[in-house]
């Protein structure tokens, strides 16, 4: 039976070692992707500058339009289909569409944004995703030598 060595644990400047956490364990709950204890968000969707527990700088995090795209594709489309089917099957008055449709769209469009944004930020950290020209920042964050 062949055994494989576990991947090395990430380190920081003070030599502290952190357990490798899954983005699914931390991101949707707004937890720090490195320590799992601190918070990613300050407010509803505003990212903090750094983790208050382990000090991880969130300068690397740039989910851009990703959360909105995921919400549109996987949450808003079923909400709109529900409203259209309500019209086709029941032909209710405008007040029913306002009373039912607006809350459905708010629930399907706004509530998933935070967990999805947290997941994307955590996934960027775990997978070391980076934009062109950010190798120096990643090297600093992960105590590594930048790739040339």
């Amino acid at each position: 039976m062949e055994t494989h060595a576990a991947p090395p644990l990430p380190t920081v400047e003070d030599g502290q070692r952190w357990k490798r956490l899954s983005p699914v364990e931390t991101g949707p709950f707004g937890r720090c992707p490195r320590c799992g204890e601190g918070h990613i968000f300050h407010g509803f969707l505003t990212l903090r500058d750094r983790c208050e527990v382990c000090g991880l700088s969130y300068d690397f995090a740039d989910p851009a339009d990703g959360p909105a795209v995921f919400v549109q594709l996987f949450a808003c489309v079923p909400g709109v289909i529900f409203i259209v089917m309500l019209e086709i099957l029941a032909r209710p008055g405008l007040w029913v569409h306002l009373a039912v449709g607006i809350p459905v769209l708010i629930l399907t469009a706004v509530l998933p944004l935070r967990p999805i944004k947290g997941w994307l930020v955590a996934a960027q950290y775990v997978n070391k995703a980076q934009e062109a020209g950010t190798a120096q920042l990643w090297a600093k964050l992960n105590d590594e030598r930048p790739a040339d």
Side-chain angles (χ1 to χ4, degrees), residues 19-75:
K19 178 182 170 192
R20 196 172 296 273
L21 300 172
S22 166
V24 177
E25 294 174 332
T26 58
F29 304 104
R31 297 294 184 186
C32 173
R34 182 164 67 186
C35 69
E37 298 295 323
H39 298 89
I40 295 175
F41 297 107
H42 176 71
F44 184 64
L45 289 175
T46 306
L47 291 175
R48 292 178 180 265
D49 292 332
R50 62 185 54 256
C51 175
E52 72 271 18
V53 175
C54 70
L56 174 65
S57 172
Y58 297 135
D59 289 343
F60 67 89
D62 184 22
D65 295 333
V69 169
F70 281 114
V71 166
Q72 288 172 2
L73 290 174
F74 300 112

Side-chain angles (χ1 to χ4, degrees), residues 43-111:
F44 184 64
L45 289 175
T46 306
L47 291 175
R48 292 178 180 265
D49 292 332
R50 62 185 54 256
C51 175
E52 72 271 18
V53 175
C54 70
L56 174 65
S57 172
Y58 297 135
D59 289 343
F60 67 89
D62 184 22
D65 295 333
V69 169
F70 281 114
V71 166
Q72 288 172 2
L73 290 174
F74 300 112
C76 288
V77 170
V80 171
I81 290 172
F82 169 77
I83 293 168
V84 170
M85 292 305 294
L86 178 66
E87 175 62 29
I88 291 171
L89 297 174
R91 298 219 179 256
L94 179 61
W95 70 272
V96 174
H97 279 297
L98 293 175
V100 173
I102 291 176
V104 165
L105 288 178
I106 288 173
L107 290 174
T108 60
V110 176
L111 292 183

Side-chain angles (χ1 to χ4, degrees), residues 1-5:
M1 179 187 237
E2 197 175 314
T3 59
H4 297 286

